[in-house]
Amino acid sequence: MRIEVVKSISIPDTRGRATVETTLRSNNFTATASVPSGKSTGAHEAKELRDEDGGVSGAIANVTGEIAEALATREFSSPQEIDSFLCELDGTQDKSRLGANAILSVSISATRLFAQEAGIPLWKYISETYSTTPSAPRFFVNVMNGGAHANFRLPIQEYILVVGEPTVAESFETTEKAFKLLGEKLRAESTELPMGDEGGYSPKFSEIERPFELLSELVLKYPNTSIAIDAAANELRNQSGGYTLIGKDYSTEELLEMYKSLVNKFPFHAIEDPFSEDDVAGFVATTKALGNQIIIIGDDLIVTNPKRIDDAVSKKSINAVLIKPNQIGTVSEAAEAVKKTHSAGWKTVCSHRSGETHDTFIADFAYGMGTHGIKAGGFGQQVRREKYERLQAIEKEITS
Ligand code: 2PG
Ligand code: MG
């Protein structure tokens, strides 16, 4: 297939920050993709290219200039071929020269073009290309937003309701009801209830356990649900090498004790990033203590990087991996990360970023790769709902 860059433009993400949207054309088809952007990022992520003022004109110039020219020199027979071509062209370990945002916008659009050429749905094309068994992911719905996504009104970044009904349609319905009910409960106890960055409620509580009591009430009412958190502990690190939550300092051991008591008291399914990316001992201790009861998910620790997954497997620091295509910068490397995780016998959760766009690629990716879950935010923002809606559309496609 011959690929031509039609255009690349700057569009606003959900926080109003600029991001890249790229459109490619083959002989017969046109495909567009836009890329998200994180706020609580890991130090080892692939680097998005930003102008001094935060814009993305440099990244866009790379797509329409150097990348477009290079793509025009040859034909490609698979998305993997394009991805490795882009990595070579960039020439850095972290995609910092051309920009992971520039590269990913091309990688996703190209995957879409190949799916169109093959005449099959995107999720199916992904599953055939990467030889995986497709399946519907559980919803990891960030119903209460805290941490860096909500000015630390709550200490923990994400209070998640995990919803795993027999069908996507039922998971959607349960999420809708539970999210509404939680809103009613929260309005009954707090005067001010803003929304956080990811479309979840952002109440203010000064007791660590209160949000979990509320989540437990939801779990009691909806039996196919459970609780997860993303502690995003990079953001909780204090100057003395410990962690601070609601003005109280914790050592690694003390924070682990807190997690243990929460998991023993409430119906937990997962904890993501319980410790900061440089506190590997904290991850290892958590997995040892709780890994047979819940999944311990590595996000900032792993940054969707297959090499870092190898390292985690040898250290047994986690037993699940968060998968964010923009942390690594190409679709095929994200797919490799999923496959590596699954062959270690671990679970994957495919994730959006806190700064999102209307692109629903992660829904097709999660379904096609057969990830255990998808984390796409709360139901309070349309951009978040769209990812779950796309999963519903896929399910309909399959059953009709
Ligand atoms: C996370 C993500 C997505 P951000 O930490 O898992 O929820 O947040 O995109 O800000 O890194
Ligand atoms: Mg995270």
Side-chain angles (χ1 to χ4, degrees):
M1 183 162 74
R2 213 160 251 292
I3 291 184
E4 195 190 315
V5 174
V6 177
K7 63 174 186 201
S8 186
I9 56 169
S10 167
I11 60 164
D13 71 13
T14 43
R15 280 191 283 252
R17 254 181 122 218
T19 189
V20 182
E21 182 184 270
T22 295
T23 302
L24 303 182
R25 181 162 56 207
S26 64
N27 291 343
N28 309 306
F29 298 99
T30 307
T32 299
S34 55
V35 300
S37 177
K39 189 188 254 178
S40 66
T41 53
H44 306 283
E45 293 193 19
K47 299 288 175 295
E48 49 178 32
L49 194 66
R50 292 266 168 203
D51 309 338
E52 250 167 43
D53 65 0
V56 289
S57 63
I60 285 169
N62 287 343
V63 176
T64 54
E66 191 175 337
I67 292 175
E69 279 158 36
L71 289 176
T73 60
R74 52 167 287 191
E75 302 234 337
F76 294 92
S77 59
S78 70
Q80 294 101 311
E81 222 176 87
I82 293 203
D83 287 353
S84 14
F85 181 79
L86 292 169
C87 291
E88 257 170 61
L89 184 69
D90 172 75
T92 66
Q93 285 294 315
D94 57 4
K95 303 184 177 69
S96 53
R97 194 178 75 78
L98 295 170
N101 44 357
I103 292 172
L104 185 66
S105 73
V106 174
S107 175
I108 295 178
S109 309
T111 306
R112 286 204 163 104
L113 274 185
F114 275 101
Q116 292 181 48
E117 292 279 345
I120 53 175
L122 183 57
W123 64 268
K124 192 161 200 217
Y125 181 77
I126 289 169
S127 125
E128 287 179 7
T129 302
Y130 298 106
S131 313
T132 50
T133 310
S135 65
R138 285 158 194 74
F139 291 10
F140 279 55
V141 187
N142 183 4
V143 291
M144 282 182 275
N145 299 180
H149 295 163
N151 290 323
F152 286 88
R153 289 172 59 82
L154 290 171
I156 288 171
Q157 181 174 288
E158 300 171 26
Y159 297 80
I160 295 169
L161 188 70
V162 181
V163 185
E165 298 288 1
T167 66
V168 173
E170 289 163 290
S171 287
F172 196 92
E173 203 185 312
T174 297
T175 303
E176 187 95 277
K177 285 187 196 152
F179 192 72
K180 198 165 160 248
L181 178 62
L182 178 63
E184 286 161 13
K185 286 175 187 289
L186 290 170
R187 259 174 234 113
E189 41 190 293
S190 65
T191 45
E192 216 198 338
L193 191 59
M195 282 282 168
D197 281 4
E198 296 195 340
Y201 306 108
S202 182
K204 200 167 164 62
F205 290 119
S206 43
E207 318 85 46
I208 296 269
E209 290 196 356
R210 187 65 194 131
F212 298 107
E213 289 166 4
L214 289 162
L215 285 174
S216 300
E217 291 172 21
L218 297 180
V219 173
L220 207 60
K221 185 154 171 115
Y222 303 103
N224 290 328
T225 67
S226 51
I227 297 173
I229 53 169
D230 179 3
N234 277 1
E235 308 289 324
L236 302 173
R237 261 299 204 207
N238 60 30
Q239 305 266 322
S240 43
Y243 300 86
T244 305
L245 284 83
I246 327 184
K248 188 172 172 239
D249 290 347
Y250 295 80
S251 65
T252 295
E253 295 70 28
E254 288 163 345
L255 193 53
L256 177 55
E257 284 311 310
M258 189 195 88
Y259 292 136
K260 282 185 350 236
S261 101
L262 287 175
V263 169
N264 288 325
K265 204 157 167 189
F266 301 105
F268 260 77
H269 175 72
I271 299 182
E272 177 185 332
D273 281 355
F275 293 97
S276 88
E277 64 199 2
D278 55 358
D279 191 352
V280 178
F283 275 93
V284 172
T286 311
T287 304
K288 202 165 169 213
L290 295 170
N292 55 0
Q293 283 168 267
I294 61 166
I295 54 172
I296 315 297
I297 308 172
D299 172 17
D300 292 339
L301 178 75
I302 303 296
V303 293
T304 316
N305 187 322
K307 289 195 197 107
R308 295 180 71 86
I309 294 170
D310 286 336
D311 186 51
V313 169
S314 73
K315 290 181 178 140
K316 297 194 177 74
S317 50
I318 44 174
N319 61 13
V321 174
L322 202 76
I323 302 290
K324 292 166 165 168
N326 89 321
Q327 278 181 328
I328 187 73
T330 64
V331 175
S332 51
E333 287 167 289
E336 189 194 338
V338 173
K339 294 193 73 168
K340 211 167 245 252
T341 307
H342 289 175
S343 55
W346 291 356
K347 294 191 162 55
T348 50
V349 177
C350 183
S351 169
H352 69 160
R353 298 309 300 252
S354 52
E356 261 297 334
T357 73
H358 290 289
D359 196 311
T360 56
F361 179 78
I362 56 159
D364 283 81
F365 188 76
Y367 204 107
M369 295 300 298
T371 63
H372 172 77
I374 185 169
K375 188 175 89 156
F379 266 30
Q381 260 181 20
Q382 185 51 26
V383 159
R384 312 292 166 184
R385 295 172 65 105
E386 281 163 6
K387 276 68 172 171
Y388 305 107
E389 282 166 0
R390 173 64 195 142
L391 288 168
Q392 261 192 300
I394 293 172
E395 186 176 76
K396 266 200 196 137
E397 235 166 71
I398 293 169
T399 49
S400 68

mmCIF file of all heavy atoms in Angstrom, residues 28-58:
data_model
loop_
_atom_site.group_PDB
_atom_site.id
_atom_site.type_symbol
_atom_site.label_atom_id
_atom_site.label_comp_id
_atom_site.label_asym_id
_atom_site.label_seq_id
_atom_site.Cartn_x
_atom_site.Cartn_y
_atom_site.Cartn_z
ATOM 1 N N ASN A 28 -7.310 3.912 -2.071
ATOM 2 C CA ASN A 28 -8.769 3.835 -2.024
ATOM 3 C C ASN A 28 -9.420 4.466 -0.795
ATOM 4 O O ASN A 28 -10.618 4.664 -0.780
ATOM 5 C CB ASN A 28 -9.204 2.365 -2.060
ATOM 6 C CG ASN A 28 -8.552 1.620 -3.201
ATOM 7 O OD1 ASN A 28 -8.651 2.042 -4.350
ATOM 8 N ND2 ASN A 28 -7.856 0.543 -2.887
ATOM 9 N N PHE A 29 -8.659 4.701 0.260
ATOM 10 C CA PHE A 29 -9.290 5.086 1.516
ATOM 11 C C PHE A 29 -8.605 6.278 2.195
ATOM 12 O O PHE A 29 -7.455 6.611 1.873
ATOM 13 C CB PHE A 29 -9.302 3.902 2.494
ATOM 14 C CG PHE A 29 -10.088 2.728 1.996
ATOM 15 C CD1 PHE A 29 -9.451 1.650 1.397
ATOM 16 C CD2 PHE A 29 -11.467 2.714 2.108
ATOM 17 C CE1 PHE A 29 -10.176 0.561 0.917
ATOM 18 C CE2 PHE A 29 -12.205 1.641 1.639
ATOM 19 C CZ PHE A 29 -11.558 0.563 1.046
ATOM 20 N N THR A 30 -9.345 6.846 3.151
ATOM 21 C CA THR A 30 -8.814 7.943 3.962
ATOM 22 C C THR A 30 -9.058 7.596 5.428
ATOM 23 O O THR A 30 -10.118 7.059 5.764
ATOM 24 C CB THR A 30 -9.568 9.252 3.637
ATOM 25 O OG1 THR A 30 -9.520 9.442 2.240
ATOM 26 C CG2 THR A 30 -8.943 10.447 4.323
ATOM 27 N N ALA A 31 -8.112 7.866 6.303
ATOM 28 C CA ALA A 31 -8.296 7.581 7.730
ATOM 29 C C ALA A 31 -7.671 8.680 8.577
ATOM 30 O O ALA A 31 -6.621 9.215 8.242
ATOM 31 C CB ALA A 31 -7.658 6.240 8.082
ATOM 32 N N THR A 32 -8.346 8.971 9.697
ATOM 33 C CA THR A 32 -7.900 10.045 10.588
ATOM 34 C C THR A 32 -7.685 9.500 11.993
ATOM 35 O O THR A 32 -8.391 8.595 12.426
ATOM 36 C CB THR A 32 -8.975 11.160 10.612
ATOM 37 O OG1 THR A 32 -9.109 11.669 9.296
ATOM 38 C CG2 THR A 32 -8.596 12.295 11.551
ATOM 39 N N ALA A 33 -6.711 10.060 12.695
ATOM 40 C CA ALA A 33 -6.505 9.705 14.102
ATOM 41 C C ALA A 33 -5.993 10.910 14.860
ATOM 42 O O ALA A 33 -5.246 11.726 14.326
ATOM 43 C CB ALA A 33 -5.488 8.568 14.213
ATOM 44 N N SER A 34 -6.425 11.017 16.122
ATOM 45 C CA SER A 34 -5.867 12.059 16.980
ATOM 46 C C SER A 34 -5.325 11.405 18.237
ATOM 47 O O SER A 34 -5.744 10.306 18.603
ATOM 48 C CB SER A 34 -6.924 13.103 17.322
ATOM 49 O OG SER A 34 -8.050 12.487 17.903
ATOM 50 N N VAL A 35 -4.389 12.072 18.894
ATOM 51 C CA VAL A 35 -3.708 11.431 20.027
ATOM 52 C C VAL A 35 -3.987 12.176 21.332
ATOM 53 O O VAL A 35 -4.125 13.395 21.348
ATOM 54 C CB VAL A 35 -2.185 11.328 19.779
ATOM 55 C CG1 VAL A 35 -1.897 10.510 18.542
ATOM 56 C CG2 VAL A 35 -1.545 12.689 19.660
ATOM 57 N N PRO A 36 -4.060 11.388 22.441
ATOM 58 C CA PRO A 36 -4.329 12.003 23.742
ATOM 59 C C PRO A 36 -3.031 12.443 24.426
ATOM 60 O O PRO A 36 -1.948 12.238 23.886
ATOM 61 C CB PRO A 36 -4.975 10.859 24.501
ATOM 62 C CG PRO A 36 -4.280 9.641 23.978
ATOM 63 C CD PRO A 36 -3.957 9.924 22.538
ATOM 64 N N SER A 37 -3.168 13.013 25.599
ATOM 65 C CA SER A 37 -1.992 13.501 26.318
ATOM 66 C C SER A 37 -2.230 13.400 27.834
ATOM 67 O O SER A 37 -3.312 13.724 28.314
ATOM 68 C CB SER A 37 -1.769 14.957 25.906
ATOM 69 O OG SER A 37 -0.694 15.487 26.615
ATOM 70 N N GLY A 38 -1.205 12.949 28.569
ATOM 71 C CA GLY A 38 -1.369 12.741 30.005
ATOM 72 C C GLY A 38 -0.954 13.937 30.844
ATOM 73 O O GLY A 38 -0.304 14.859 30.358
ATOM 74 N N LYS A 39 -1.362 13.902 32.111
ATOM 75 C CA LYS A 39 -0.910 14.934 33.062
ATOM 76 C C LYS A 39 0.005 14.317 34.112
ATOM 77 O O LYS A 39 1.050 14.864 34.430
ATOM 78 C CB LYS A 39 -2.120 15.587 33.738
ATOM 79 C CG LYS A 39 -1.754 16.815 34.566
ATOM 80 C CD LYS A 39 -2.951 17.324 35.371
ATOM 81 C CE LYS A 39 -3.535 18.598 34.772
ATOM 82 N NZ LYS A 39 -4.724 19.046 35.544
ATOM 83 N N SER A 40 -0.388 13.175 34.661
ATOM 84 C CA SER A 40 0.492 12.485 35.612
ATOM 85 C C SER A 40 1.296 11.471 34.802
ATOM 86 O O SER A 40 0.892 10.332 34.627
ATOM 87 C CB SER A 40 -0.330 11.792 36.698
ATOM 88 O OG SER A 40 -1.112 10.754 36.160
ATOM 89 N N THR A 41 2.416 11.908 34.284
ATOM 90 C CA THR A 41 3.162 11.077 33.336
ATOM 91 C C THR A 41 4.337 10.372 34.003
ATOM 92 O O THR A 41 4.837 10.816 35.037
ATOM 93 C CB THR A 41 3.692 11.949 32.183
ATOM 94 O OG1 THR A 41 4.408 13.046 32.745
ATOM 95 C CG2 THR A 41 2.565 12.494 31.331
ATOM 96 N N GLY A 42 4.785 9.287 33.368
ATOM 97 C CA GLY A 42 5.948 8.561 33.864
ATOM 98 C C GLY A 42 7.212 9.121 33.217
ATOM 99 O O GLY A 42 7.179 9.565 32.073
ATOM 100 N N ALA A 43 8.309 9.083 33.960
ATOM 101 C CA ALA A 43 9.564 9.654 33.453
ATOM 102 C C ALA A 43 10.068 8.921 32.210
ATOM 103 O O ALA A 43 10.783 9.498 31.400
ATOM 104 C CB ALA A 43 10.628 9.588 34.546
ATOM 105 N N HIS A 44 9.677 7.640 32.064
ATOM 106 C CA HIS A 44 10.222 6.850 30.957
ATOM 107 C C HIS A 44 9.293 6.746 29.757
ATOM 108 O O HIS A 44 9.501 5.913 28.871
ATOM 109 C CB HIS A 44 10.611 5.454 31.479
ATOM 110 C CG HIS A 44 11.547 5.523 32.653
ATOM 111 N ND1 HIS A 44 12.881 5.795 32.512
ATOM 112 C CD2 HIS A 44 11.321 5.411 33.989
ATOM 113 C CE1 HIS A 44 13.452 5.827 33.717
ATOM 114 N NE2 HIS A 44 12.516 5.599 34.618
ATOM 115 N N GLU A 45 8.264 7.563 29.719
ATOM 116 C CA GLU A 45 7.348 7.547 28.561
ATOM 117 C C GLU A 45 8.049 8.050 27.310
ATOM 118 O O GLU A 45 8.965 8.878 27.394
ATOM 119 C CB GLU A 45 6.144 8.486 28.806
ATOM 120 C CG GLU A 45 5.220 8.037 29.896
ATOM 121 C CD GLU A 45 3.879 8.799 29.917
ATOM 122 O OE1 GLU A 45 3.508 9.409 28.896
ATOM 123 O OE2 GLU A 45 3.227 8.773 30.975
ATOM 124 N N ALA A 46 7.570 7.621 26.138
ATOM 125 C CA ALA A 46 7.988 8.238 24.876
ATOM 126 C C ALA A 46 7.584 9.711 24.956
ATOM 127 O O ALA A 46 6.580 10.051 25.591
ATOM 128 C CB ALA A 46 7.299 7.546 23.708
ATOM 129 N N LYS A 47 8.376 10.576 24.316
ATOM 130 C CA LYS A 47 8.171 12.019 24.524
ATOM 131 C C LYS A 47 7.322 12.654 23.432
ATOM 132 O O LYS A 47 7.634 12.548 22.242
ATOM 133 C CB LYS A 47 9.522 12.737 24.560
ATOM 134 C CG LYS A 47 10.441 12.277 25.697
ATOM 135 C CD LYS A 47 9.938 12.774 27.051
ATOM 136 C CE LYS A 47 10.751 12.225 28.219
ATOM 137 N NZ LYS A 47 10.703 10.785 28.452
ATOM 138 N N GLU A 48 6.264 13.312 23.860
ATOM 139 C CA GLU A 48 5.509 14.088 22.875
ATOM 140 C C GLU A 48 6.288 15.373 22.592
ATOM 141 O O GLU A 48 6.979 15.894 23.479
ATOM 142 C CB GLU A 48 4.087 14.377 23.352
ATOM 143 C CG GLU A 48 3.969 14.921 24.746
ATOM 144 C CD GLU A 48 2.513 15.237 25.146
ATOM 145 O OE1 GLU A 48 1.588 14.538 24.676
ATOM 146 O OE2 GLU A 48 2.335 16.177 25.923
ATOM 147 N N LEU A 49 6.205 15.835 21.347
ATOM 148 C CA LEU A 49 6.933 17.044 20.978
ATOM 149 C C LEU A 49 6.027 18.254 21.170
ATOM 150 O O LEU A 49 4.930 18.311 20.619
ATOM 151 C CB LEU A 49 7.375 16.944 19.513
ATOM 152 C CG LEU A 49 8.420 17.963 19.055
ATOM 153 C CD1 LEU A 49 9.745 17.750 19.765
ATOM 154 C CD2 LEU A 49 8.627 17.846 17.538
ATOM 155 N N ARG A 50 6.472 19.182 22.008
ATOM 156 C CA ARG A 50 5.702 20.392 22.310
ATOM 157 C C ARG A 50 6.503 21.619 21.926
ATOM 158 O O ARG A 50 7.716 21.674 22.133
ATOM 159 C CB ARG A 50 5.417 20.479 23.811
ATOM 160 C CG ARG A 50 4.462 19.428 24.321
ATOM 161 C CD ARG A 50 3.044 19.939 24.353
ATOM 162 N NE ARG A 50 2.099 18.842 24.571
ATOM 163 C CZ ARG A 50 0.823 18.879 24.233
ATOM 164 N NH1 ARG A 50 0.319 19.972 23.665
ATOM 165 N NH2 ARG A 50 0.044 17.852 24.446
ATOM 166 N N ASP A 51 5.833 22.632 21.415
ATOM 167 C CA ASP A 51 6.473 23.927 21.181
ATOM 168 C C ASP A 51 6.710 24.570 22.550
ATOM 169 O O ASP A 51 6.166 24.115 23.556
ATOM 170 C CB ASP A 51 5.559 24.856 20.368
ATOM 171 C CG ASP A 51 5.034 24.179 19.108
ATOM 172 O OD1 ASP A 51 5.669 23.209 18.653
ATOM 173 O OD2 ASP A 51 3.985 24.626 18.596
ATOM 174 N N GLU A 52 7.465 25.628 22.561
ATOM 175 C CA GLU A 52 7.728 26.306 23.832
ATOM 176 C C GLU A 52 6.448 26.755 24.524
ATOM 177 O O GLU A 52 6.337 26.727 25.749
ATOM 178 C CB GLU A 52 8.639 27.513 23.601
ATOM 179 C CG GLU A 52 10.023 27.280 24.178
ATOM 180 C CD GLU A 52 11.017 28.300 23.694
ATOM 181 O OE1 GLU A 52 10.661 29.499 23.660
ATOM 182 O OE2 GLU A 52 12.144 27.887 23.350
ATOM 183 N N ASP A 53 5.467 27.155 23.739
ATOM 184 C CA ASP A 53 4.213 27.633 24.338
ATOM 185 C C ASP A 53 3.199 26.509 24.554
ATOM 186 O O ASP A 53 2.032 26.757 24.832
ATOM 187 C CB ASP A 53 3.600 28.734 23.452
ATOM 188 C CG ASP A 53 3.189 28.196 22.080
ATOM 189 O OD1 ASP A 53 3.377 26.976 21.828
ATOM 190 O OD2 ASP A 53 2.683 28.981 21.265
ATOM 191 N N GLY A 54 3.633 25.241 24.416
ATOM 192 C CA GLY A 54 2.733 24.116 24.664
ATOM 193 C C GLY A 54 1.998 23.647 23.414
ATOM 194 O O GLY A 54 1.310 22.620 23.447
ATOM 195 N N GLY A 55 2.120 24.363 22.323
ATOM 196 C CA GLY A 55 1.460 23.961 21.077
ATOM 197 C C GLY A 55 2.125 22.755 20.434
ATOM 198 O O GLY A 55 3.103 22.208 20.964
ATOM 199 N N VAL A 56 1.595 22.317 19.298
ATOM 200 C CA VAL A 56 2.143 21.129 18.634
ATOM 201 C C VAL A 56 2.527 21.423 17.180
ATOM 202 O O VAL A 56 2.529 20.509 16.340
ATOM 203 C CB VAL A 56 1.142 19.938 18.701
ATOM 204 C CG1 VAL A 56 1.061 19.398 20.120
ATOM 205 C CG2 VAL A 56 -0.248 20.320 18.205
ATOM 206 N N SER A 57 2.848 22.669 16.878
ATOM 207 C CA SER A 57 3.159 22.992 15.477
ATOM 208 C C SER A 57 4.433 22.281 15.012
ATOM 209 O O SER A 57 4.536 21.896 13.842
ATOM 210 C CB SER A 57 3.252 24.499 15.272
ATOM 211 O OG SER A 57 4.312 24.997 16.035
ATOM 212 N N GLY A 58 5.384 22.057 15.916
ATOM 213 C CA GLY A 58 6.604 21.329 15.545
ATOM 214 C C GLY A 58 6.283 19.883 15.192
ATOM 215 O O GLY A 58 6.786 19.340 14.195
#
